């Protein structure tokens, strides 16, 4: 096999060409020839013998280069207006090149560039079907399909459904017959490439992989195929077929890159764990939006005799589960999973627990609970429970400690294989737009990750200087928006869209979207999805009228202040590619899988004041992973906007490159949140509360363990990072045993046992200190209060609990919230309005301070959509954030806690009250914006 | 190859001038005419006597004649691949491949070679039409994969591997593919002009063509233009197509 020796240079040239630059003096014809030459080198019989090797980067590198070169040339041909016949042929070659190395998602993404009905002749149709088997249904309907080609496609279809090897064995010979019947050299060459692609399709077939497995697994496989996923990705095949990952029982850390197919691997492991019969699998998701995607996948793929439960939100154990008799899969937030495990005694039936986005372990707000929850599961394994723990992450790179934590035989399922290319660039204040080599496999030897692949001179239209002074930031902000808008339009022209612009605050999403829209022309015709959004705003959300103007120009913003229905409509429009530019907070960037071609990170500094710091490289990687979705695109570009506003220790010209390099670097090993000393006082208190609550759970779950505090601390991830958390556990244990305020939570028998108070506390999910406060409140409750009055009093009593991490609510409860329309006296009214389903804008303008506002634009005018005001909009942001969390999540949790504690407070008023009804009155009043709680709010930032 | 080849009989006579091969009928144009008719008669059917010669058939016949010249030329070929040259009387002209000759050296693979022949047929006196040969060779390293050298080699290699079950030869053929003209050490070009004999100067025109092809990056020594000249070429081609002497 003779390969051209300059294919890396050619790939780099093609990548540079796509980005508007000449990388080297290499002609288009030469690049084309290099790509074709590589494909030719893999058309012989020898390539058929090395299919699995072609899933390894080193072996597949030439084909990867060929595919990328052809894809770049295709874009170039389209931009230069070459004849459709030529671009179609280039497209088919690019798709075949991807398929030859088993990268079927990218082959499918390339094929999106052409209309399948324009395919000319049998060879092109067959090649298209092989490169993208999920297009078979469409291709079989083509009228232009000749009889022999139809028969062949039917054979392929039949194999993909049944997995029968007999059928597979007829495919290649009949493909050769079809090839020999054609006279065109291009068609012949296409057939030659398609043969290797066909071998990949057969090798990667889902049905084939599950042939001979249990009926349950086969039924699962059938549904996966029916859902138009007939083939595994190479790393999935390697894990599931070659390494029998699903059948094994060891814990595992799966660190495949974005779009590497982690979820399906977890699904296989879940299916296998439930294959033998009833039981329960828990899939923990940190974001509700991600949960929605997982539930959709599970519902589609699992047979009807499996029940899928979506359990999101705060601490709540309610669920219709029967793992004794049914196969149950629970997709839950960490809080719901925690509650289920404590209250429902599920360990006996637990077969597997999957933690998606496991790097959330490092998140200051939620990491402690997740770490402790995993530690509880590890402790259960230590005492002999038989279930499997699987951690998934696309962004972790150093996981030795994580694997150690999960046990000596832990499988680290890893692969560098990724279907799409990730490109990173920085648009510097100096006017240089620099794309970096990063860790791309096409980086030439001698070049480092931070070295420049291609650089353009693109001056900032509006000069901006670094500053951390608020007034100067305010004065320069329009200029920064204008620059970012210019960049977005430039990237769109260069690479195409849709484009996601990630902003640090809701206000920035609005401001940037407005600037972008002002610089774009009105679209002549609005697509139906856009008309639907506009209708919704005009009917139900007039305060968002300015968004209608933006939508007509292909721009939208997306943040937690928008009504949830509206957000869903916007997401649908993005899915349909009807919105070209979306300015969003990190919620969208981290959560939902939407088809963005490129991402611009406008704010690379997170937080405000002394707490401001560069975005973690984990977060940046996660955001970067959002663009270039597999199957939609073959590349995703993330551009860091060199934002110079903020703390000068990061934004000063001499320090900024170093700070930004930290953002772009490979993530370090995960840190344990519980043992992290570099946190704020509030965050430390929240961790102490979490530890207390988790220790209570552990006492109940592990009645035979002596010195539980030490046992628990030793099972934390922290202990495998060489850090001790024993002090915080000792303190928590002391609190549990403390009887100075009356009955303790536990008694120091040998081993420790929960008292009745402790048992009740365990059902609340709260810490010992918070339970004491709540018990004190309940003991003093004298009257059967109406819901609104009770809610207001409870919030004042519990709003400062460290377990809740909404800073606005804490200040509201403490009466220290300043410069806000919403005040402590409003809580009761808001509770009533919440339950009555009063629209949020109406609740907002009804606030006394809003009614008496002397601002130039009144909240009333703003809500009617007649005038815009960023000040009022910011007030509304804060209002929505606190109201949704308070009444949709926190207060129901507290009501349920009251129900759990009622038996131990000895107060007939408390005992007589139906706390569940109160909780449900809030929960069922409206669709709670559970995504809102995913967000690190502007206030906290 | 099922095509009736006239290997035994001499049809054309070669002269060398300025590095070009100048072919004419042996001993006369009419003799070549009649020999070609004899070959075509086995393939038939001819077009009817009143039907005019279309441009497509004219081109196909040019390729057919070039092929017949080649079959008598001292080319060391193992096999020939063509489309229009094998079916010159059909009123269809397939784009993408005129004639390709493969040579697999019996003892030393490094001597394997492929000849790419592009053919133009013209009745004009200026022979300007020959200039379009340059475009054909430019396409070998351009960006429409229908016409590239790599496509041509891969297509033929597929035929050899799957049709003739000679995967070994297919691999050897693919090894001849390169990524730019100057590195194509196993490729020879035969730009061929079938043209009017009387009043024309093919040497000047074909040397210009050779120079232009060299400018594309091809090594000059690997380009060997052919002139195939007939008296009253268009009338003669029309008569041949009709089966007339």
């Amino acid at each position: 096999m003779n390969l051209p020796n300059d294919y890396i240079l050619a790939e780099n040239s093609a990548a540079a060409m796509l980005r508007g630059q000449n990388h080297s003096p290499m002609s288009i014809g030469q690049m084309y020839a290099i790509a074709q030459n590589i494909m030719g080198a893999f058309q012989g019989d020898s390539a058929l013998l090395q299919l699995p090797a072609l899933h390894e980067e080193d072996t597949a590198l030439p084909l990867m280069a060929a595919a990328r070169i052809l894809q770049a040339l295709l874009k170039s041909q389209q931009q230069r207006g070459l004849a459709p016949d030529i671009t179609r042929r280039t497209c088919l070659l690019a798709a075949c090149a991807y398929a030859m190395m088993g990268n079927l998602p990218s082959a499918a993404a390339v094929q999106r560039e052409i209309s399948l009905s324009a395919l000319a002749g049998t060879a092109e149709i067959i090649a298209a079907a092989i490169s993208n088997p999920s297009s078979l249904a469409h291709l079989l309907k083509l009228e232009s399909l000749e009889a022999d080609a139809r028969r062949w496609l039917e054979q392929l279809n039949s194999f993909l459904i049944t997995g029968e090897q007999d059928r597979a064995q007829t495919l290649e010979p009949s493909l050769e017959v079809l090839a020999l019947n054609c006279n065109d050299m291009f068609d012949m060459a296409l057939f030659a490439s398609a043969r290797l692609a066909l071998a990949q399709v057969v090798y990667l077939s889902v049905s084939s992989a599950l042939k001979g497995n249990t009926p349950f697994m086969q039924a699962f496989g059938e549904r996966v195929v029916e859902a138009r996923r007939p083939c595994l990705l190479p790393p999935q095949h390697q894990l599931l077929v070659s390494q029998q990952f699903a059948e094994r029982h060891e814990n595992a850390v799966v660190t495949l890159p974005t779009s590497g197919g982690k979820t399906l691997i977890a699904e296989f492991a879940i299916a296998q764990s439930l294959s033998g019969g009833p039981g329960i699998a828990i899939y923990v998701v940190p974001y509700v939006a991600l949960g929605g995607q997982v539930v959709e996948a599970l519902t589609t793929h699992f047979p009807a005799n499996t029940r899928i439960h979506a359990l999101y939100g705060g601490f709540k154990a309610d669920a219709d589960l029967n793992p004794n008799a049914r196969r149950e899969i629970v997709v839950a937030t960490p809080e719901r999973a925690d509650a289920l495990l404590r209250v429902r005694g599920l360990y006996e039936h637990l077969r597997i627990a999957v933690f998606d986005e496991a790097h959330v372990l490092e998140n200051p707000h939620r990491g402690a609970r997740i770490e402790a929850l995993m530690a509880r599961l590890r402790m259960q394994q230590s005492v002999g429970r038989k279930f499997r723990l699987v951690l998934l992450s696309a962004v972790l790179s150093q996981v030795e400690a994580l694997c150690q934590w999960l046990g000596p035989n832990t499988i680290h399922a890893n692969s560098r294989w990724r279907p799409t290319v990730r490109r990173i660039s920085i648009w510097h204040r100096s006017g240089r737009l620099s794309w970096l080599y990063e860790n791309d496999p096409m980086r030439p030897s001698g070049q480092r990750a931070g070295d420049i692949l291609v650089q353009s001179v693109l001056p900032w239209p509006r000069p901006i200087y670094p500053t951390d002074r608020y007034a100067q930031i305010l004065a320069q902000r329009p200029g920064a928006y204008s620059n970012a808008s210019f960049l977005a339009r430039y990237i769109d022209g260069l690479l195409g869209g849709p484009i996601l612009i990630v902003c640090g605050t809701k206000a920035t999403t609005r401001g940037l979207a407005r600037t972008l829209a002002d610089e774009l022309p009105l679209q002549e015709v609005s697509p139906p999805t856009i008309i639907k959004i506009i209708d919704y705003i005009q009917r139900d959300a007039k305060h968002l009228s300015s968004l209608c103007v933006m939508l007509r120009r292909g721009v939208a913003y997306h943040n937690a202040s928008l009504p949830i229905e509206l957000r869903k409509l916007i997401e649908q429009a993005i899915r349909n590619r009807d919105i070209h530019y979306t300015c969003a907070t990190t919620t969208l960037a981290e959560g939902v899988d939407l088809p963005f071609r490129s991402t611009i990170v406008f704010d690379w500094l997170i937080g405000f004041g002394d707490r401001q710091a560069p975005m973690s490289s984990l977060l940046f990687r996660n955001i970067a992973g959002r663009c270039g979705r597999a199957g939609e695109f073959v590349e995703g570009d993330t551009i860091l906007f060199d934002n110079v506003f903020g703390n000068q220790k990061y934004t000063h010209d001499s320090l900024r490159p170093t700070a930004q390099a930290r953002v772009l670097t490979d993530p370090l090993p995960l840190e344990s949140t519980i043992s992290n000393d570099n946190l704020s006082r509030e965050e430390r208190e929240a961790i102490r509360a979490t530890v207390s609550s988790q220790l209570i759970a552990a006492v109940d779950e592990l009645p035979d363990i002596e010195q539980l505090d030490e046992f628990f601390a030793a099972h934390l991830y922290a202990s495998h990072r060489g850090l001790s958390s024993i002090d915080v556990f000792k303190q928590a244990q002391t609190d549990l045993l403390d009887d100075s305020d009356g009955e303790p939570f536990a008694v120091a028998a040998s081993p420790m046992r929960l008292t009745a108070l402790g048992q009740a506390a365990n059902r609340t999910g709260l810490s010992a200190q918070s339970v004491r406060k709540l018990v004190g409140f309940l003991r003093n409750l004298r009257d059967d209060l109406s819901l609104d009055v009770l809610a207001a009093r409870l919030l004042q009593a519990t709003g400062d609990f460290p377990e809740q991490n909404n800073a606005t609510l804490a200040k509201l409860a403490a009466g220290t919230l300043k410069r806000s329309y919403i005040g402590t006296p409003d809580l009761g009214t808001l509770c009533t309005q919440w339950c009555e389903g009063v629209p949020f804008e109406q609740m907002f303008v009804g606030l006394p301070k809003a009614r008496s506002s002397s601002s130039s634009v009144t909240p009333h005018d703003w809500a009617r959509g007649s005038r815009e005001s960023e000040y009022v909009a910011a007030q509304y942001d804060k209002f929505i954030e606190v109201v949704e969390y308070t009444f949709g999540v926190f207060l129901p949790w507290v009501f349920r806690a009251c129900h759990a504690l009622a038996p131990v407070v000895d107060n007939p008023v408390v005992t007589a009250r139906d706390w569940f009804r109160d909780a449900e009155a809030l929960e069922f009043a409206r669709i709670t914006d559970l995504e809102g709680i995913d967000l690190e709010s502007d206030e906290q930032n | 190859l099922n095509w009736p080849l006239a290997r035994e009989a001499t049809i054309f006579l070669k002269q060398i001038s300025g590095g070009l091969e100048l072919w004419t009928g042996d001993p006369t144009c009419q003799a070549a005419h009649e020999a070609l008719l004899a070959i075509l008669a086995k393939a038939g059917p001819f077009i009817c006597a009143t039907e005019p010669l279309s441009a497509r058939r004219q081109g196909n016949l040019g390729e057919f004649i070039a092929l017949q010249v080649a079959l008598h030329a001292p080319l060391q070929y193992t096999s020939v691949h063509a489309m229009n040259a094998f079916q010159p009387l059909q009123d269809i002209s397939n784009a993408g491949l005129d004639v390709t000759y493969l040579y697999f050296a019996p003892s030393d693979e490094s001597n394997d070679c492929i000849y790419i022949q592009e053919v133009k047929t013209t009745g004009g006196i200026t022979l300007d039409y020959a200039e379009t040969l340059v475009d054909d060779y430019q396409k070998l390293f351009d960006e429409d994969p229908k016409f590239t050298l790599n496509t041509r080699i891969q297509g033929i290699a597929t035929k050899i591997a799957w049709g003739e079950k000679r995967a070994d030869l297919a691999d050897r053929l693919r090894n001849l593919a390169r990524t730019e003209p100057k590195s194509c050490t196993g490729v020879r070009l035969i730009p061929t002009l079938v043209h009017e004999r009387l009043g024309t100067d093919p040497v000047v025109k074909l040397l210009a063509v050779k120079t232009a092809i060299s400018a594309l990056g091809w090594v000059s020594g690997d380009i060997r233009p052919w002139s195939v000249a007939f008296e009253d070429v268009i009338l003669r081609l029309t008569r041949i197509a009709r089966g007339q002497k």
Side-chain angles (χ1 to χ4, degrees), chain A residues 594-613:
Chain A
L594 291 171
F596 293 111
R597 168 63 183 82
S598 301
T599 300
I600 294 171
V601 178
F602 180 75
D603 288 308
W604 60 278
L605 288 175
I606 300 283
F608 294 99
D610 293 342
R611 304 289 301 170
Q612 190 171 52

Side-chain angles (χ1 to χ4, degrees), chain B residues 143-219:
Chain B
E143 56 180 320
D144 184 349
K146 192 170 178 68
F147 305 109
T148 61
L149 177 66
N150 275 283
T151 291
R152 193 172 292 199
I153 286 177
Q154 289 167 22
I156 296 171
T158 307
K159 278 196 164 183
I160 294 172
W162 298 355
E164 300 168 24
K165 304 296 179 195
R166 289 300 303 268
D168 57 330
L169 293 183
D171 284 342
R172 283 169 66 175
L173 175 58
R174 278 190 290 260
N175 283 341
L176 297 177
R178 294 290 184 274
T179 60
E180 50 186 338
K182 68 181 179 196
S183 58
C184 288
T185 52
V187 181
R188 309 278 182 273
L189 308 185
I190 312 174
T192 299
L193 186 66
V194 178
H195 63 93
E196 178 56 51
R197 183 177 179 186
L198 298 175
T200 59
D201 185 356
V203 174
V204 170
K205 183 55 71 180
L206 285 173
L207 281 176
V209 166
K210 180 177 178 177
T211 303
I213 294 173
S214 301
L216 298 175
W218 292 92
V219 175

Side-chain angles (χ1 to χ4, degrees), chain A residues 749-789:
Chain A
S750 185
M752 195 161 51
R753 298 209 182 283
L754 290 182
T755 61
L757 176 61
Q759 294 283 357
N762 188 33
R763 289 191 292 276
T764 68
L766 296 170
S767 66
Q769 285 180 327
S770 296
V771 168
R772 285 240 184 267
K773 283 188 188 173
L774 191 55
V775 166
F777 174 87
L778 292 173
R779 283 194 175 132
N780 292 324
L781 195 63
R782 289 291 165 256
D783 303 311
D784 183 18
L785 301 174
S786 61
L787 181 59
D788 56 334
V789 175

Side-chain angles (χ1 to χ4, degrees), chain A residues 813-937:
Chain A
T816 58
L817 186 62
K818 305 250 190 291
R819 296 188 299 276
S820 171
Y821 284 174
I822 189 170
T824 313
D826 304 324
L827 291 171
T829 308
L830 290 173
C831 179
T832 304
Q833 291 176 323
W834 172 276
C835 291
E836 290 172 353
V838 175
F840 285 125
E841 316 84 78
Q842 209 172 312
M843 289 167 72
F844 175 66
V845 297
L847 291 169
K849 281 191 187 170
R851 284 206 306 269
S852 62
S853 168
S854 58
S855 62
S856 57
V857 176
T858 66
H860 187 258
D861 287 346
W862 173 84
R864 284 195 312 174
S866 52
R867 297 182 69 188
E868 285 191 55
S869 163
E870 189 46 49
Y871 175 76
V872 179
Q875 286 286 349
Y876 185 73
D877 290 342
K878 192 177 287 186
F879 168 81
I880 287 288
E881 174 203 312
V882 73
V883 164
E884 290 209 311
Y885 177 73
T886 300
F887 298 108
V889 179
F890 182 63
L891 205 48
W893 178 11
V894 174
F895 280 144
R896 289 177 193 282
C898 293
H899 171 82
L901 296 173
V904 296
V905 295
D906 194 23
N907 179 345
V909 174
V910 173
T911 315
R913 191 169 186 100
D914 187 347
W915 297 96
F916 265 17
R917 191 194 60 197
D918 292 335
E920 286 175 352
L922 294 168
E923 286 170 341
F924 297 156
R926 58 183 85 205
I927 301 168
T928 308
D929 178 16
L930 294 168
E931 282 172 44
I933 64 164
D934 294 341
L935 187 74
E936 292 181 21
S937 72

Side-chain angles (χ1 to χ4, degrees), chain A residues 116-190:
Chain A
L116 295 181
S117 52
L119 294 172
T122 294
E124 292 191 7
I125 292 172
I126 298 279
I130 294 172
S131 308
N132 180 14
S134 57
S135 68
L136 260 172
H138 184 92
L139 291 170
L140 277 165
K141 283 191 283 187
L142 287 181
E143 288 178 7
S144 59
L145 199 57
E146 291 177 5
D148 49 358
R150 179 179 299 281
R151 275 193 295 279
W152 194 88
L153 292 185
E154 286 169 350
Q155 283 292 325
L156 176 62
N157 188 53
S158 171
F159 163 72
L160 290 172
I161 292 170
T162 63
E164 288 173 5
Q165 286 305 312
D166 289 353
R167 291 183 197 277
Q169 283 164 7
T170 65
L171 287 169
E172 189 187 317
S174 50
L175 181 84
E176 292 181 3
V177 170
L178 286 174
L180 292 170
N181 284 339
C182 73
N183 287 320
D184 186 273
M185 286 297 116
F186 175 74
D187 288 352
M188 294 290 287
L190 201 56

Side-chain angles (χ1 to χ4, degrees), chain A residues 614-807:
Chain A
M615 175 184 283
S616 73
S617 59
L618 274 175
L619 177 58
F620 181 79
R621 297 274 149 179
N622 215 18
I623 289 171
R626 293 300 114 195
C627 62
R629 180 180 169 189
E632 298 269 354
F633 305 99
V634 298
E635 290 190 298
D637 286 55
T638 302
I639 303 101
L640 188 77
F641 177 74
D642 188 13
N643 198 326
V644 294
F645 299 151
N647 195 323
Q648 291 255 7
K649 70 179 177 185
Y650 303 118
T651 60
H652 190 277
D653 280 342
S654 63
L655 302 172
R656 214 163 57 247
T658 310
Q660 289 172 347
R662 277 171 53 197
V663 174
L664 301 181
T665 192
D666 276 342
L668 296 168
L670 272 184
E671 293 296 342
S672 158
T673 307
I674 290 180
S675 62
N676 186 351
D677 292 329
N678 188 29
L679 296 173
S680 66
R681 184 182 57 81
E682 292 81 6
E683 287 166 342
R684 291 298 317 160
E685 281 183 14
I687 286 170
R688 281 183 56 190
T690 300
V691 168
S692 170
S693 165
Q694 295 295 323
L695 187 61
I696 293 172
V699 174
D700 192 48
E701 290 170 352
L702 296 159
D704 301 326
I705 298 293
E706 304 277 359
Q707 295 174 315
L708 187 59
D709 53 347
E710 292 177 12
F711 190 68
F712 203 144
H715 278 82
L716 283 173
Y717 174 59
S719 68
H720 295 271
R721 292 285 294 139
L723 302 165
S724 172
S725 328
I726 189 63
D727 289 348
V728 68
F729 275 88
K730 289 270 182 226
Q731 181 59 51
Q733 182 161 305
T734 304
D735 291 344
L736 295 191
L737 298 172
D738 181 15
D739 57 1
S740 58
D741 287 334
E743 184 186 0
F745 290 88
V747 288
S750 185
M752 195 161 51
R753 298 209 182 283
L754 290 182
T755 61
L757 176 61
Q759 294 283 357
N762 188 33
R763 289 191 292 276
T764 68
L766 296 170
S767 66
Q769 285 180 327
S770 296
V771 168
R772 285 240 184 267
K773 283 188 188 173
L774 191 55
V775 166
F777 174 87
L778 292 173
R779 283 194 175 132
N780 292 324
L781 195 63
R782 289 291 165 256
D783 303 311
D784 183 18
L785 301 174
S786 61
L787 181 59
D788 56 334
V789 175
L790 179 64
R793 289 195 192 171
L794 254 178
L795 285 172
Q796 287 176 65
T798 62
D800 63 346
F801 279 6
E803 287 90 338
Q804 78 81 9
N805 48 38
N806 186 299

Side-chain angles (χ1 to χ4, degrees), chain A residues 256-259 262 286-287 290 356-360 392-396 422 424 500 502 586-593 599 601 615-627 638 663 665 667:
Chain A
L256 301 184
T258 307
S259 299
K262 294 179 300 300
Y287 309 111
L290 175 60
D356 206 344
E357 307 275 316
H359 49 271
V360 177
L392 312 178
S393 173
V395 291
L396 292 177
R422 302 282 155 195
I424 304 287
L500 169 68
V502 178
T586 56
T587 310
L588 185 69
E590 284 191 89
V592 190
D593 208 1
T599 300
V601 178
M615 175 184 283
S616 73
S617 59
L618 274 175
L619 177 58
F620 181 79
R621 297 274 149 179
N622 215 18
I623 289 171
R626 293 300 114 195
C627 62
T638 302
V663 174
T665 192

